[in-house]
Amino acid sequence: MAFKIEYMEMAIEEAKKGIGAVNPNPLVGAVIVKDDRVIAKGYHARYGDLHAERAAFAALKESAEGAEMYVTLEPCCHYGKQPPCVEAIVEHKISKVYVGSDDPNEKVSGKGYRYLREHGVEVKTHVLKEKCDSINEIFFHYITTKTPYVLMKYAMTMDGKIASYTGKSQWISNEKSRERVQELRNKYSGIMVGVNTVLFDNPMLTCRIENGNNPVRIVCDTNLRIPTDCKLVETAKDVPLIVVTSDKFAAGNQNNNISENISGNISDKISLLKEKNVEIVFVRQKGEYIDIKEAMRVLGAKGIDSILLEGGGALNYSCIEADVVNEVQVFVAPKMLGGKEAKTPVSGTGFENPDLASRFSLQSIEQIDEDVLITYRK
């Protein structure tokens, strides 16, 4: 059979169907071709469900013996929530497998290829590798660092304001730009804001795409100021909410300098939040705020592989200073707000001089009606 790029492109489109539903697993698509005919397709549809290869085999209407398979990621060779895909490939007597991306997971990394070759299956690697890699940037980062891939997103005016001097920010960007943000909420497993955003805006932070996936809402709240009657808390039984706060409030903390009266109030507040299904995470405090790096390690250990950062200037600066931001998407609206008290995307103390600034590389510039979306990556 003749190799055709279009079959791998088809597998990539299959993989994308799992966006938002497979985290922290990778997006994977598979296409089975026999006599230059596509006889089955499959993708990893939801975390814990069939992997792409087995989903494709389940869709077969005829024997796959002698057929070729196009798969976007190295087939797995270990037992997890699903059995190894390499075994299914051999059992169905696939003659050749074309693969896009290598799997950096130490349980797989090269072992899937070796198993197939040892069992007589020809393997061709790195087919459309760049395109296949691009759909799994989150997975590759998470599986190798055990911390979430962090995307900082904000909308600002031409003069760099995210809100007016009165604090009003609805709406800076246009409707189509806001639709793109909803797509990000559907894709990322977590969405993070600071407590000031909760106090000022009282947001829901849910995905407003029909049948979309709601991210886990995460609030960084060093001094536990979150109102117990805000929308996030009131909906925590339906959409998960994590409040990350200082370990000075943790029971048994010997360094707790909180007075007995305040400590009692905090204890009652923690109990009430937990009753409302809010998960409280305690991390050490670094200066004025919680240690963002430690927070990311803790959240990663909970299986949160990606975070959409929709915070205000203080949280954005904390994340930049801690060097946890992997990507920045800036929606620039053709407006001027002015005002020395108007809010900017990144505030905090700031860096001493431009030489010390956190640097990113420009990836793309896209026009969305009259807005401009600029994407940068580390």
Side-chain angles (χ1 to χ4, degrees), residues 273-377:
L273 289 171
K274 288 182 176 178
E275 285 176 13
K276 294 190 173 188
N277 209 44
V278 177
E279 182 178 358
I280 311 293
V281 170
F282 300 99
V283 300
R284 67 170 173 261
Q285 193 166 328
K286 187 177 180 181
E288 188 178 351
Y289 300 111
I290 58 169
D291 187 329
I292 289 293
K293 275 188 176 294
E294 183 185 353
M296 291 300 173
R297 287 193 292 269
V298 172
L299 293 170
K302 293 181 175 294
I304 296 174
D305 68 348
S306 52
I307 288 176
L308 176 60
L309 186 62
E310 289 198 20
L315 179 60
N316 284 349
Y317 177 70
S318 293
C319 290
I320 289 292
E321 185 184 36
D323 196 26
V324 299
V325 178
N326 303 98
E327 183 177 344
V328 180
Q329 289 192 9
V330 184
F331 294 84
V332 183
K335 302 173 183 177
M336 290 277 196
L337 269 176
K340 64 180 181 180
E341 301 299 326
K343 296 180 180 179
T344 58
V346 183
S347 55
T349 305
F351 297 97
E352 289 182 30
N353 61 64
D355 291 340
L356 300 175
S358 180
R359 296 192 63 86
F360 292 79
S361 297
L362 177 65
Q363 296 298 305
S364 63
I365 301 175
E366 177 186 352
Q367 187 168 346
I368 305 176
D369 282 347
E370 292 189 330
D371 289 353
V372 175
L373 171 59
I374 309 173
T375 300
Y376 299 90
R377 289 200 180 96

Side-chain angles (χ1 to χ4, degrees), residues 18-34:
I19 287 176
V22 303
N23 311 61
N25 280 356
L27 296 167
V28 188
V31 173
I32 303 173
V33 180
K34 189 173 185 179

Side-chain angles (χ1 to χ4, degrees), residues 22 38 86 123 137 148 154 163 185 220 286 292 297 301 321 347:
V22 303
V38 174
V86 289
V123 180
E137 288 176 322
Y154 55 85
R185 289 186 179 186
C220 292
K286 187 177 180 181
I292 289 293
R297 287 193 292 269
E321 185 184 36
S347 55

Side-chain angles (χ1 to χ4, degrees), residues 34-52:
K34 189 173 185 179
D35 300 327
D36 207 23
R37 295 177 296 115
V38 174
I39 61 172
K41 297 184 293 185
Y43 68 100
H44 184 34
R46 187 164 293 278
Y47 178 71
D49 285 359
L50 290 176
H51 290 181

Side-chain angles (χ1 to χ4, degrees), residues 104-106 137-150 293 296-301 304-306 323-324 326:
N105 185 346
E106 59 184 15
E137 288 176 322
I138 287 173
F139 171 73
F140 293 153
H141 173 84
Y142 179 70
I143 202 68
T144 54
T145 67
K146 304 298 189 289
T147 59
Y149 183 95
V150 179
K293 275 188 176 294
M296 291 300 173
R297 287 193 292 269
V298 172
L299 293 170
I304 296 174
D305 68 348
S306 52
D323 196 26
V324 299
N326 303 98

Side-chain angles (χ1 to χ4, degrees), residues 154-157 159-173 200-201 312-313 336-345:
Y154 55 85
M156 71 178 190
T157 57
D159 56 336
K161 309 297 184 183
I162 62 171
S164 69
Y165 73 91
T166 64
K168 294 183 178 180
S169 60
Q170 294 182 346
W171 295 103
I172 286 178
S173 58
F200 295 145
D201 298 337
M336 290 277 196
L337 269 176
K340 64 180 181 180
E341 301 299 326
K343 296 180 180 179
T344 58

Side-chain angles (χ1 to χ4, degrees), residues 197-227:
T197 296
V198 180
L199 294 172
F200 295 145
D201 298 337
N202 194 19
M204 280 287 287
L205 303 179
T206 51
C207 175
R208 293 190 286 275
I209 296 175
E210 187 176 358
N211 299 318
N213 300 281
N214 285 319
V216 175
R217 285 97 49 95
I218 304 163
V219 178
C220 292
D221 185 4
T222 305
N223 294 305
L224 209 60
R225 294 188 293 147
I226 188 169

